[in-house]
């Protein structure tokens, strides 16, 4: 996260903030072939809300579809031969969200547990 700048003159413009956010990406390798990747961008607020709602319902496949897009979801599902365990989708969400510096919403449920001392 950026630190607020006290002097308005030193703040970045809104267009610059948006442009910088659009430059943040995560890559999901589909196969061992070089360049066979899916590039994921930071989701819009509405998509992030939908992603969180699907995760609360433990619909990790649906959440991945929202995060990377339906066509890319189908591509990954096909590459895996279908019938993908939900934990693989959950872990993919966690990895991509961490790569996008949005670790909180994509964190798997066990990461929110407070460790006992």
């Amino acid at each position: 996260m950026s630190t607020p700048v006290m002097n308005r003159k030193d703040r970045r413009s809104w267009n610059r903030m948006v442009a910088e956010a659009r430059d943040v990406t995560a890559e999901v390798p589909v196969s061992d072939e070089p360049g066979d990747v899916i590039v994921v961008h930071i989701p819009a607020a509405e998509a992030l809300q939908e992603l969180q709602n699907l995760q609360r319902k433990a619909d990790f496949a649906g959440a991945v579809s929202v995060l990377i897009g339906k066509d890319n979801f189908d591509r990954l599902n096909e590459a895996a031969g279908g019938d993908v365990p939900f934990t693989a989708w959950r872990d993919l969400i966690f990895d991509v969200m961490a790569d996008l510096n949005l670790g909180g919403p994509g964190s798997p449920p066990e990461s929110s547990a407070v460790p006992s001392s």
Side-chain angles (χ1 to χ4, degrees):
M1 281 207 168
S2 60
T3 304
V5 177
M6 300 312 282
N7 181 352
R8 279 189 173 277
K9 210 167 147 182
D10 294 333
R11 288 188 187 160
R12 296 173 294 162
S13 71
W14 173 244
N15 287 340
R16 183 170 171 204
M17 287 181 206
V18 171
E20 287 173 0
R22 287 184 176 146
D23 284 343
V24 177
T25 60
E27 289 188 353
V28 178
V30 178
S31 69
D32 294 331
E33 297 295 319
D36 190 13
V37 297
I38 294 171
V39 178
V40 184
H41 297 271
I42 293 177
E46 296 83 11
L48 187 58
Q49 182 65 43
E50 186 177 352
L51 174 79
Q52 291 171 330
N53 289 336
L54 290 166
Q55 284 183 285
R56 277 189 212 97
K57 297 175 187 175
D59 181 358
F60 297 107
V64 169
S65 183
V66 168
L67 182 60
I68 68 173
K70 175 80 171 101
D71 291 342
N72 287 327
F73 171 81
D74 291 342
R75 189 171 156 210
L76 282 181
N77 200 33
E78 183 179 322
D83 199 25
V84 176
F86 83 92
T87 54
W89 293 125
R90 182 200 62 202
D91 293 349
L92 178 64
I93 293 168
F94 178 73
D95 287 354
V96 169
M97 295 298 278
D99 289 351
L100 295 173
N101 292 323
L102 300 172
S107 299
E110 56 269 30
S111 69
S112 61
V114 177
S116 57
S117 11

